[in-house]
Amino acid sequence: MKAFTIRENEAGQRLDKYLRKLLPDAPGSFIYKMLRKKNIVLNAQKASGAEHLSVGDEVVCFLSDETFDKFSRSAGDTIEELKRIPIQPAFSVVYEDDDVLVMNKPAGMLSQKAKESDISANEHMIAYLLESKALTEEDLHTFRPSICNRLDRNTSGLLLAGKTLRGLQQLSAELKSRSMAKYYRCLVKGDIPEKKLQKGYLLKDERENAVSIFQNGAPNRKYIETEYDPVERFGDYTLLEVHLITGRSHQIRAHLASLGHPVIGDPKYGDERQNRIFENKAGVNRQLLHAYRVRFSDGSEVIADLPADFEAALTWLRDRMQKEPVKG
């Protein structure tokens, strides 16, 4: 027999959904059979599985240890794998409270798994929470913290994660309502003297994992808004702060490129000649796009400093400006 008391992270969901997390290798037919035979009960009463759980509810499984272990094995294997993940040196926590964690993702790291064998920022985040004791192995059987936004593999910067169900719900609500403001820093080709709000429509080619930008709407095209503000100008290059108003796939990179201001180092939408210059002169080998700051609905902000490779490119440009000042 095993008994489980429902906590905040598990409350609100249906009993059958909870049991599928608790016993991930059990077929649904087995779970419903155990409910019918009262081998799994809720608060000492027979249950159908459709009941919604509340904090303090007790789920009791009258199963042998062998049966329970057999059907919970894959969850246990996953937890052991997470415990073996080393804490990534480049992975840094920018902000953390009881419900929310904000991390600074390095370029080259996936935000979330693309295939089963991947180790993404999400797995590194869970490994960190296990190491810091903010999360227990027992928690992971029925609740898994998760990243709420995504960055491209070679985009660095802020990732937001919910440590608890409350945190996930809070972040998801802010993202959906756009009450959270997300700002990126990027180095682009061209001199941009003033702040602008640009609008357009984005069409994604799923097969090619690429997007195109249009000025007019049409079926399958999604409306986009991108606002940018120059932070530092280098004659023929500009460091921008970009307010991502609508968060579409590849929006910043593709929208700026369509306006004649491709992000330096971008292999998909960028200027190949400019990319070679920065690779040879400043060692740039990825798009210089960084999720720099987030302002939450309560006015609080978190900031992730620019990474070393981005700063190195800016230093090279500043040195070049001193040696070859722009005329006019």
Side-chain angles (χ1 to χ4, degrees), residues 188-235:
V188 301
K189 176 186 174 183
D191 181 31
I192 302 178
E194 60 185 2
K195 182 176 182 178
K196 280 191 177 180
L197 172 64
Q198 300 283 5
K199 302 177 182 181
Y201 294 86
L202 179 149
L203 178 65
K204 184 171 184 179
D205 183 333
E206 296 288 350
R207 187 173 58 184
E208 297 295 327
N209 189 31
V211 304
S212 300
I213 305 298
F214 301 89
Q215 289 304 305
N216 300 311
N220 299 321
R221 295 180 185 178
K222 296 182 177 179
Y223 178 72
I224 57 171
E225 288 188 30
T226 310
E227 184 179 56
Y228 56 73
D229 196 4
V231 176
E232 191 171 356
R233 296 160 65 194
F234 305 96

Side-chain angles (χ1 to χ4, degrees), residues 9-139:
N9 286 338
E10 298 147 348
Q13 64 185 309
R14 282 171 52 122
L15 172 60
D16 53 3
K17 184 176 179 181
Y18 169 82
L19 292 171
R20 286 180 181 275
K21 294 176 183 175
L22 190 65
L23 302 167
D25 294 338
S29 58
F30 173 82
I31 289 174
Y32 290 115
K33 181 180 179 181
M34 293 301 99
L35 287 167
R36 286 196 306 272
K37 296 180 69 174
K38 295 176 64 175
N39 287 335
I40 299 177
V41 297
L42 174 63
N43 297 327
Q45 301 293 320
K46 183 177 180 180
S48 69
E51 297 83 358
H52 283 79
L53 299 173
S54 300
V55 174
D57 281 349
E58 184 179 57
V59 176
V60 178
C61 300
F62 295 100
L63 306 174
S64 69
D65 289 344
E66 292 80 4
T67 300
F68 189 89
D69 292 344
K70 172 186 174 182
F71 288 132
S72 63
R73 187 172 297 144
S74 68
D77 291 345
T78 303
I79 293 168
E80 287 304 313
E81 290 169 7
L82 288 166
K83 288 165 65 179
R84 288 194 293 269
I85 295 174
I87 303 301
Q88 171 65 246
F91 171 97
S92 59
V93 175
V94 178
Y95 172 81
E96 184 176 3
D97 60 26
D98 290 342
D99 299 309
V100 169
L101 182 143
V102 183
M103 67 203 81
N104 185 4
K105 183 188 83 69
M109 181 185 287
L110 287 168
S111 296
Q112 294 181 329
K113 285 187 176 189
K115 56 183 185 294
E116 188 59 34
S117 59
D118 289 335
I119 297 177
S120 70
N122 207 70
E123 283 69 58
H124 283 293
M125 178 264 297
I126 293 174
Y128 162 79
L129 294 176
L130 285 169
E131 179 75 17
S132 67
K133 310 298 183 187
L135 185 70
T136 68
E137 293 179 43
E138 185 181 358
D139 293 332

Side-chain angles (χ1 to χ4, degrees), residues 234 314-326:
F234 305 96
L314 298 180
T315 297
W316 174 70
L317 283 173
R318 292 175 188 128
D319 291 344
R320 194 190 69 145
M321 288 286 287
Q322 288 183 342
K323 295 173 184 175
E324 306 171 20
V326 178

Side-chain angles (χ1 to χ4, degrees), residues 233-285:
R233 296 160 65 194
F234 305 96
D236 41 3
Y237 304 100
T238 306
L239 174 64
L240 292 178
E241 180 160 282
V242 179
H243 179 197
L244 187 62
I245 299 173
T246 56
R248 308 295 186 191
S249 180
H250 298 184
Q251 178 180 325
I252 293 175
R253 297 160 59 195
H255 203 180
L256 290 174
S258 75
L259 297 168
H261 302 297
V263 174
I264 298 301
D266 187 345
K268 190 181 289 282
Y269 306 103
D271 182 312
E272 190 175 333
R273 177 177 170 275
Q274 295 296 326
N275 291 350
R276 283 199 304 270
I277 291 172
F278 275 83
E279 183 177 9
N280 294 332
K281 299 292 185 180
V284 173
N285 56 18

Side-chain angles (χ1 to χ4, degrees), residues 143-204:
F143 173 78
R144 185 151 299 205
S146 178
I147 285 169
C148 297
N149 64 318
R150 287 186 182 226
L151 299 176
D152 294 333
R153 182 195 287 267
N154 288 316
T155 296
S156 55
L158 295 171
L159 281 176
L160 314 172
K163 292 170 57 177
T164 64
L165 180 61
R166 181 169 53 242
L168 282 171
Q169 292 171 336
Q170 172 190 329
L171 290 173
S172 296
E174 290 214 23
L175 286 165
K176 186 175 181 179
S177 67
R178 297 182 190 167
S179 56
M180 173 195 300
K182 295 180 290 182
Y183 298 88
Y184 291 67
R185 295 249 168 135
C186 59
L187 183 65
V188 301
K189 176 186 174 183
D191 181 31
I192 302 178
E194 60 185 2
K195 182 176 182 178
K196 280 191 177 180
L197 172 64
Q198 300 283 5
K199 302 177 182 181
Y201 294 86
L202 179 149
L203 178 65
K204 184 171 184 179

